[in-house]
Amino acid sequence: MNKGRALRPGDLIGLLSVSNPVTDEERQCSVDVVEALGFRTVCGESLFHRRGYLAGPDEIRARDVNRMFADPDIAGIFCVRGGEGANRLPEMIDLEVVRKNPKVFLGYSDVTVFHLLLGQGADLVTIQGPMPYTEFRRDTFEGYVKEHFLKAVTKTEPVGEILPPQGDPAIQALVPGTVEAPLVGGCLSLISALMGTPWEIDTRGKILIIEDVGEQPYKYDRWLCQLRSSGKLQQCAGVVVGQCIDCTTDKPKMDIPLEEIFADLLVPLGVPVLLNVPFGHGKRKATFPLGVRALLDGNAGRFFLTESGVR
């Protein structure tokens, strides 16, 4: 896998959106919070445009990505927010430019499309973690979230063990066993949306990480069944379930708890499985480089990032 250089104070960070638009105030806020970390910033065209729920036309959003990877002065690229629309862009991304110019690429949620596209199409380690407008500006960024983020993007040593923030649920071992393998995955609904495309997830011999937000349990059931029917679940070496936020049903009498759905569909795989690992849409989250090796200990309920995501 290709890795971006570890970020240093004074580095130039490209800010863009591959998904939803931002207002002038939100754009300036994103600039301010990134520069408060000691970086310089340059804004892509996508932060100045709006087309309904999109940060401008597809061509503008894709051009931002291609230009920022090609620009040798830009050390890292941060998606300022997620939303919808990233799945319009894969055909327009110059993967050869990405391959020749590896750099930190940050985001989560809808940015899962780019984690799969760049990871599998350009062998790039990408960073699933907090985004400027979504998290950097919030009080909850200080402490756990900020420390994990900076360690992941500025240090060439492995992050090591991922422990939940104080007061959050403990990591739960659903299936015992131990495995060390590369990480792949992200937001489960976006993983599902890319099935049947050239960018569908490759889980062979990898630890699959999944999370989502605002979705009812039956949708997790549907998406996991799709991955099972396609063989993707059977091919993975382990599964790590992150923060599944706001996943209650609107039909309580017909509810199956999410934990039972995971037990029904993941336990029969016979690979180690962890629940409640702190990544995803929660307010307090760790930062995960995707494509690097991790250690899943389903015996002790522990999870380690054993390889750095930057060089």
Side-chain angles (χ1 to χ4, degrees):
M1 298 293 289
N2 300 316
K3 298 180 181 180
R5 174 180 60 76
L7 299 180
R8 300 188 290 254
D11 274 344
L12 183 63
I13 304 298
L15 303 180
L16 53 72
S17 177
V18 296
S19 307
N20 286 173
V22 294
T23 64
D24 292 347
E25 180 182 355
E26 291 166 346
R27 180 182 64 249
Q28 187 58 51
C29 176
S30 300
V31 168
D32 291 344
V33 292
V34 173
E35 292 186 350
L37 295 176
F39 303 119
R40 296 177 295 122
T41 60
V42 59
C43 290
E45 291 181 74
S46 55
L47 299 189
F48 297 86
H49 289 267
R50 175 186 294 268
R51 183 188 172 213
Y53 59 85
L54 301 173
D58 301 345
E59 293 78 10
I60 283 178
R61 291 178 291 127
R63 188 162 62 229
D64 272 355
V65 175
N66 291 331
R67 284 179 173 175
M68 287 186 182
F69 270 105
D71 188 337
D73 293 329
I74 293 177
I77 303 169
F78 292 0
C79 298
V80 301
R81 61 161 302 161
E84 299 83 28
N87 58 332
R88 285 171 166 248
L89 304 182
E91 293 92 338
M92 305 172 71
I93 302 304
D94 189 335
L95 293 175
E96 190 59 28
V97 167
V98 176
R99 186 186 299 274
K100 291 179 178 178
N101 300 279
K103 57 189 68 176
V104 168
F105 185 90
L106 171 73
Y108 75 100
S109 193
D110 199 45
V111 184
T112 295
V113 171
F114 273 79
H115 291 315
L116 297 181
L117 170 67
L118 303 182
Q120 296 173 183
D123 296 324
L124 180 70
V125 171
T126 57
I127 309 295
Q128 169 156 315
M131 296 180 287
Y133 185 71
T134 311
E135 279 87 17
F136 288 16
R137 66 188 179 94
R138 301 187 184 277
D139 292 342
T140 48
F141 182 61
E142 292 298 323
Y144 183 94
V145 182
K146 180 178 178 180
E147 290 169 7
H148 278 75
F149 166 70
L150 290 177
K151 189 172 184 180
V153 301
T154 67
K155 305 295 183 183
T156 57
E157 299 81 17
V159 169
E161 185 170 10
I162 300 296
L163 297 170
Q166 187 174 5
D168 281 18
I171 294 175
Q172 176 186 346
L174 182 62
V175 182
T178 301
V179 65
E180 185 174 8
L183 295 178
V184 68
C187 191
L188 186 55
S189 55
L190 274 302
I191 293 172
S192 175
L194 289 180
M195 291 298 294
T197 74
W199 310 283
E200 72 175 24
I201 193 167
D202 180 1
T203 61
R204 290 173 295 180
K206 297 175 183 177
I207 295 173
L208 172 65
I209 71 168
I210 56 173
E211 55 86 22
D212 218 302
V213 62
E215 303 289 0
Q216 296 184 50
Y218 78 87
K219 291 190 178 181
Y220 288 86
D221 193 319
R222 176 188 296 164
W223 295 324
L224 289 173
C225 283
Q226 179 189 33
L227 293 179
R228 182 181 66 179
S229 297
S230 64
K232 300 296 183 179
L233 288 184
Q234 296 90 329
Q235 293 170 353
C236 68
V239 181
V240 173
V241 179
Q243 299 158 328
C244 297
I245 306 298
D246 298 332
C247 60
T248 55
T249 180
D250 58 4
K251 299 177 180 178
K253 292 184 179 180
M254 300 177 64
D255 186 31
I256 298 177
L258 197 53
E259 292 78 8
E260 290 187 23
I261 292 173
F262 291 143
D264 289 346
L265 299 176
L266 298 180
V267 170
L269 299 175
V271 299
V273 179
L274 295 178
L275 306 180
N276 298 331
V277 180
F279 70 93
H281 282 77
K283 292 182 179 179
R284 299 192 294 176
K285 59 173 68 63
T287 298
F288 284 18
L290 297 174
V292 303
R293 296 184 69 80
L295 175 65
L296 189 172
D297 185 346
N299 299 319
R302 302 174 74 184
F303 185 66
F304 303 80
L305 298 175
T306 57
E307 181 184 354
S308 173
V310 292
R311 53 179 168 80

